[in-house]
């Protein structure tokens, strides 16, 4: 390759457009290739596999996608056009797609290609680089994370009012007490005794 990818301005493959990882990076690459900012050889490595997987997932022709990009459409407009031509995926389908993509190169058919690319870039000692996404970020000079083993989906968290937790209990004598209060008092009692008392 004639120049390092870190000089091309391609976004991280983890960045999302419409909830999809990699899609934005693929659009950046198409634009950069049209402007001659990255060498065509770059698309012949494992990124070509990811481009094909992305187009297949969206159900669109790669050449038509390239035409939309070269016509100057925004990322969102291109994605909506893809959804219009292909299949509009559910949230679960997009989640599974993201999980599949971010693990590419990790114990699969791209593992050998990934190792070859690491060798070309003198990254064989970088044991933290286990996926294609991590390689892309490392090649761009970005910090490598461990997202290949962590889920990208987040669950909603609900705040509990202090008045609701801990809950109150009533003993057989009819007196009420917050759970854990008496134990906490016993544990901290020795901390509050005056010095010199027993």
């Amino acid at each position: 390759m004639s120049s390092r990818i870190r000089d091309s301005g391609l976004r991280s493959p983890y960045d999302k457009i419409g909830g999809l990882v990699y899609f934005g990076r693929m659009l950046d690459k198409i634009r950069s290739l049209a402007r001659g900012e990255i060498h065509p050889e770059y698309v012949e490595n494992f990124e070509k596999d990811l481009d094909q997987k992305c187009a297949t997932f969206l159900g669109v022709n790669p050449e038509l996608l390239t035409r939309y990009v070269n016509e100057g459409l925004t990322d969102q407009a291109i994605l909506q056009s893809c959804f219009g031509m292909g299949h509009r995926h559910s949230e679960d389908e997009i989640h599974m797609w993201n999980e599949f993509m971010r693990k590419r190169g990790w114990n699969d058919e791209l593992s050998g290609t990934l190792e070859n690319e690491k060798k070309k870039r003198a990254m064989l000692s970088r044991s933290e680089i286990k996926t294609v996404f991590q390689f892309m970020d490392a090649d761009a000079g970005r910090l490598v994370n461990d997202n290949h083993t962590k889920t990208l989906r987040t669950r909603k968290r609900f705040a509990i009012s202090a008045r609701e937790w801990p809950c109150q209990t009533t003993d057989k004598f009819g007196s009420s007490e917050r759970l854990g209060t008496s134990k906490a008092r016993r544990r901290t009692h020795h901390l509050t005794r005056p010095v010199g008392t027993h």
Side-chain angles (χ1 to χ4, degrees):
M1 299 178 195
S2 60
S3 63
R4 291 194 62 82
I5 274 305
R6 71 177 56 195
D7 301 324
S8 67
L10 302 184
R11 76 189 82 181
S12 170
Y14 291 106
D15 291 347
K16 296 180 180 179
I17 297 295
L20 295 174
V21 298
Y22 188 74
F23 182 72
R25 180 184 178 88
M26 182 172 66
L27 301 185
D28 286 348
K29 192 160 72 241
I30 293 172
R31 295 183 181 109
S32 294
L33 283 168
R35 294 192 295 261
E37 295 173 351
I38 58 176
H39 197 279
E41 180 186 349
Y42 188 75
V43 302
E44 296 302 322
N45 66 8
F46 44 63
E47 289 218 26
K48 185 174 183 179
D49 170 85
L50 301 189
D51 293 346
Q52 291 172 342
K53 291 287 191 300
C54 189
T56 300
F57 176 73
L58 293 171
V60 298
N61 185 300
E63 287 73 24
L64 185 59
L65 182 62
T66 299
R67 194 183 81 189
Y68 283 149
V69 173
N70 292 335
E71 286 177 355
L73 297 180
T74 65
D75 294 350
Q76 287 291 345
I78 294 170
L79 182 59
Q80 292 306 314
S81 296
C82 291
F83 284 153
M85 290 183 293
H87 166 67
R88 182 175 289 275
H89 297 280
S90 68
E91 181 180 339
D92 285 339
E93 289 173 326
I94 290 176
H95 173 70
M96 288 187 289
W97 153 259
N98 290 343
E99 293 296 290
F100 168 76
M101 285 293 281
R102 69 187 179 83
K103 292 179 181 178
R104 294 296 282 158
W106 186 40
N107 297 325
D108 62 17
E109 72 276 12
L110 287 185
S111 297
T113 304
L114 176 59
E115 287 303 302
N116 289 336
E117 291 298 321
K118 286 174 64 176
K119 184 177 181 179
K120 290 179 184 178
R121 297 306 179 95
M123 293 184 185
L124 284 178
S125 62
R126 301 282 301 274
S127 60
E128 79 277 18
I129 302 175
K130 297 180 175 67
T131 69
V132 172
F133 275 22
Q134 290 175 327
F135 175 84
M136 292 174 186
D137 274 351
D139 196 35
R142 287 186 285 263
L143 182 66
V144 173
N145 59 46
D146 60 350
N147 277 346
H148 73 290
T149 58
K150 294 181 179 178
T151 182
L152 295 179
R153 175 176 286 184
T154 57
R155 296 183 181 275
K156 292 182 179 179
R157 295 183 178 180
F158 300 93
I160 301 176
S161 170
R163 289 175 297 181
E164 299 174 0
W165 184 88
C167 63
Q168 289 189 339
T169 60
T170 303
D171 61 20
K172 64 181 179 180
F173 301 106
S175 61
S176 64
E177 180 178 55
R178 289 189 181 275
L179 288 177
T181 303
S182 60
K183 290 183 179 179
R185 286 174 180 165
R186 285 197 295 271
R187 287 197 303 269
T188 59
H189 180 67
H190 71 281
L191 298 177
T192 60
R193 288 183 297 183
V195 176
T197 62
H198 300 282

